[in-house]
Amino acid sequence: MTEVLKIENLHKSFGDLNVLNGIDLSVAKGDTIVILGASGSGKSTLLRCVNFMEIPSSGRIVLQGKPVGTEKADGINYPEKELTGLRARVGMVFQHFNLFPHMNVKQNVMEGPRTVLKCNQAECARRAEEYLDKVGLGWKAEAFPSQLSGGQQQRVAIARALAMEPEIMLFDEATSALDPELVGEVLETMKELADEGMTMLIVTHELGFAYTVADRVLFLADGKILEQGDPEKVLIHPQQEGTKNFLRGHGSFRLPEPVLD
Amino acid sequence: MEHVWDFSAVFSNWYLLLIGLKNTIVLAVVCLVLGLFFGLFVGAARYSGNRLFNWPATAFVEIFRNTPVLVQIMWFFFAFPIISPFDINAFTAAALGLTLNTVAFSSEIYRAGIQSIHKGQWEAAKALGMNYSQQMGRIILPQAVRRMIPAFMNRAVELVKMTSLASVIAYGELMHQAKTISTIEFNPIEMYTSVALIFFILIFPFTLLVQRFEIRSKAKG
Ligand SMILES: Nc1ncnc2c1ncn2[C@@H]1O[C@H](COP(=O)(O)OP(=O)(O)O)[C@@H](O)[C@H]1O
Ligand SMILES: [Mg+2]
């Protein structure tokens, strides 16, 4: 087993607010990990610490066996240059897509390889074609984001992240902003990635998706992992009261019986 | 009193007016180009979280926004030379006043334009691994500048009008030339009417352009 990502005793606070209170996690290559938790439990913050959109207050992030930052007497020092380099290796997909509206679909996908990786034109074009085809939107290459449906925009955003050929992908509620009928196409794309062996950390409220696709489910409460295990264990036979309450709140999703008892 | 309109002295002095027009345009263009250029940096400084940049930039902007341009021009012509090591002629004084004024206003346009871009755009750019200047240059500014163009064009119109203030320190722009001609020829009515007309012809097409642009960018959203 190759460990792609290891999180050690991760803490993050904003001022007086302690959002993450000691997270430990090991992610092997090809793992699909779904993170559940109530709103405000720190799911986004956890993902954002992995690609250093937020700087951890303490603890360690280890990517491909190499700890990020340099250990100093008063904590870990994170040079900006190292962080930009690290972000290029970690893909992120946002709730609100955040496509670049002044660029067409193809330019959106080529932007990272071009500006960050300094790929030549041919290589940029190859990547754009490959990853747009992968999300089924090669035929929309010349369209602008505003001309696409939400589901299509999110698939382009996934292609944009994939074009960096990242070592791990982070999804932060990638389908939460979508109309219900558009959720399926995005989940389908994510499932294909998981099947192809992409390493993924997924924050979602789609329990059905978590049940079918996840190798492991984490339940986050008060900035800690309250419960974790395979989907059957966490979603169907939760042990913790917090997890049970959360799942009851999602009762409208059809899941096998025991969860609702 | 019946006034008999007679524009002959206006026409016979066309060459002086042309020089005035040229000087007006030179002053406006110089101040606009320099003002927009340095405005970007002051705007960035105001936007910066670092107090070392942010404070002086804010003080600068507030001083120039809250004092009359005429006072600024007079100050640079009559007061500044006393403390300045080098000579200041009328053009330099006017250019300094109007440029710094434009810097202050355009920095606000830049700042508002940049702030109008959704936070998610910064995040997406950052998450791809872009550094700050790549985020700014490739993602934020191209979008923000489009939104700023009508405001910059309005500013250019204001600037052309403000150049006439330089006449008080005898810089030979259009207004000053008109003043000179009218004292010699005793034709203030025809002279100032003509000057108003020349300014109008110079500025009106631009104003129309701004309006069309504003309508277009509203339609685009
Ligand atoms: N940049 C920030 N500054 C201050 N507080 C923040 C910031 N980001 C998140 N928080 C707070 O941290 C808590 C957890 O947020 P988040 O990680 O977004 O939760 P979740 O994604 O699980 O809904 C919330 O209370 C939120 O208000
Ligand atoms: Mg969140």
Side-chain angles (χ1 to χ4, degrees):
Chain A
M1 169 195 114
T2 342
E3 189 177 56
V4 175
L5 171 73
K6 189 153 109 189
I7 301 174
E8 291 173 4
N9 197 21
L10 175 66
H11 286 75
K12 174 68 188 177
S13 36
F14 298 103
D16 292 337
L17 181 69
N18 300 320
V19 177
L20 298 179
N21 297 307
I23 304 274
D24 292 284
L25 182 65
S26 166
V27 183
K29 190 164 166 40
D31 270 357
T32 303
I33 295 180
V34 166
I35 301 163
L36 301 176
S39 172
S41 57
K43 305 180 297 295
S44 296
T45 305
L46 173 57
L47 288 193
R48 293 167 59 84
C49 282
V50 171
N51 68 346
F52 288 81
M53 300 293 279
E54 304 287 356
I55 306 293
S57 303
S58 69
R60 236 174 4 163
I61 307 281
V62 183
L63 196 67
Q64 308 280 21
K66 196 177 164 302
V68 182
T70 17
E71 207 86 49
K72 289 268 158 69
D74 57 345
I76 301 176
N77 188 18
Y78 297 109
E80 192 52 35
K81 200 147 185 192
E82 181 177 353
L83 297 188
T84 52
L86 172 132
R87 289 187 199 110
R89 297 162 55 198
V90 178
M92 186 169 223
V93 177
F94 302 87
Q95 182 175 354
H96 296 287
F97 334 134
N98 301 343
L99 292 181
F100 306 132
H102 59 304
M103 299 179 181
N104 70 23
V105 162
K106 188 174 175 188
Q107 291 165 332
N108 262 278
V109 177
M110 288 172 34
E111 184 57 24
R114 195 189 129 158
T115 303
V116 177
L117 303 180
K118 313 270 191 243
C119 293
N120 63 35
Q121 189 62 31
E123 172 64 10
C124 289
R126 178 196 72 75
R127 289 190 185 205
E129 197 173 325
E130 175 176 346
Y131 294 105
L132 279 173
D133 281 345
K134 173 158 277 181
V135 301
L137 286 171
W139 58 292
K140 285 286 190 190
E142 304 301 323
F144 277 84
S146 60
Q147 299 166 319
L148 303 182
S149 74
Q152 290 170 334
Q153 288 189 48
Q154 192 60 298
R155 282 149 64 201
V156 173
I158 293 173
R160 177 176 67 181
L162 289 175
M164 297 295 287
E165 305 191 335
E167 294 155 35
I168 181 168
M169 286 276 286
L170 313 173
F171 294 82
D172 192 359
E173 302 203 27
T175 59
S176 293
L178 296 174
D179 290 338
E181 80 270 19
L182 302 177
V183 168
E185 63 187 75
V186 173
L187 292 183
E188 198 56 49
T189 305
M190 289 162 64
K191 181 175 184 306
E192 277 167 31
L193 285 179
D195 291 344
E196 287 171 16
M198 173 61 77
T199 311
M200 311 206 282
L201 276 184
I202 303 172
V203 170
T204 181
H205 292 287
E206 302 288 340
L207 299 189
F209 175 83
Y211 184 76
T212 354
V213 181
D215 299 310
R216 197 153 28 121
V217 176
L218 311 184
F219 183 79
L220 220 63
D222 302 322
K224 284 202 170 111
I225 298 175
L226 184 64
E227 188 160 0
Q228 63 176 309
D230 62 51
E232 185 76 18
K233 174 170 171 277
V234 177
L235 295 171
I236 313 300
H237 308 289
Q239 301 302 307
Q240 303 292 328
E241 214 37 56
T243 320
K244 288 181 189 169
N245 281 334
F246 175 82
L247 293 172
R248 265 187 218 108
H250 285 70
S252 53
F253 293 87
R254 287 200 312 121
L255 277 172
E257 291 309 319
V259 72
L260 299 173
D261 63 13
Chain B
M1 194 187 87
E2 192 75 357
H3 178 74
V4 184
W5 291 76
D6 176 8
F7 280 92
S8 57
V10 173
F11 290 113
S12 62
N13 285 295
W14 68 272
Y15 188 67
L16 289 178
L17 289 175
L18 191 67
I19 291 175
L21 181 62
K22 188 205 84 186
N23 286 341
T24 292
I25 292 174
V26 166
L27 182 61
V29 168
V30 165
C31 296
L32 189 65
V33 171
L34 292 178
L36 293 193
F37 180 75
F38 290 108
L40 180 57
F41 295 97
V42 175
R46 286 209 71 186
Y47 192 74
S48 144
N50 188 337
R51 279 224 210 133
L52 210 64
F53 296 120
N54 172 325
W55 260 71
T58 304
F60 169 83
V61 170
E62 293 305 339
I63 287 171
F64 278 90
R65 277 207 309 184
N66 295 292
T67 51
V69 185
L70 185 54
V71 174
Q72 294 161 17
I73 291 174
M74 299 280 271
W75 190 86
F76 277 111
F77 191 61
F78 292 110
F80 191 49
I82 302 172
I83 50 174
S84 136
F86 38 84
D87 269 359
I88 304 246
N89 61 22
F91 174 78
T92 316
L96 266 173
L98 292 176
T99 297
L100 293 178
N101 200 271
T102 305
V103 168
F105 272 84
S106 62
S107 75
E108 283 302 281
I109 298 172
Y110 282 115
R111 192 173 71 110
I114 288 168
Q115 270 173 347
S116 77
I117 303 300
H118 193 268
K119 188 169 122 277
Q121 293 293 308
W122 289 99
E123 300 225 308
K126 190 173 174 184
L128 281 176
M130 290 191 200
N131 62 31
Y132 181 80
S133 54
Q134 290 168 333
Q135 296 164 29
M136 193 64 146
R138 298 281 314 162
I139 306 303
I140 305 302
L141 269 185
Q143 296 181 58
V145 163
R146 276 174 222 206
R147 298 185 190 186
M148 296 171 196
I149 286 174
F152 282 138
M153 289 168 102
N154 275 323
R155 182 62 198 173
V157 167
E158 284 308 309
L159 186 58
V160 173
K161 290 190 223 166
M162 283 192 302
T163 54
S164 63
L165 294 173
S167 63
V168 299
I169 54 170
Y171 170 64
E173 49 67 66
L174 198 49
M175 186 65 184
H176 180 257
Q177 301 294 83
K179 203 157 70 180
T180 311
I181 298 168
S182 75
T183 22
I184 298 168
E185 305 277 359
F186 303 110
N187 64 344
I189 297 190
E190 288 82 2
M191 200 57 247
Y192 288 118
T193 307
S194 303
V195 163
L197 197 67
I198 295 171
F199 267 115
F200 184 81
I201 291 169
L202 185 65
I203 292 172
F204 189 56
F206 214 72
T207 311
L208 284 181
L209 203 70
V210 179
Q211 277 167 7
R212 284 190 47 181
F213 208 90
E214 276 174 341
I215 292 166
R216 237 187 59 200
S217 51
K218 273 218 186 75
K220 276 176 104 181

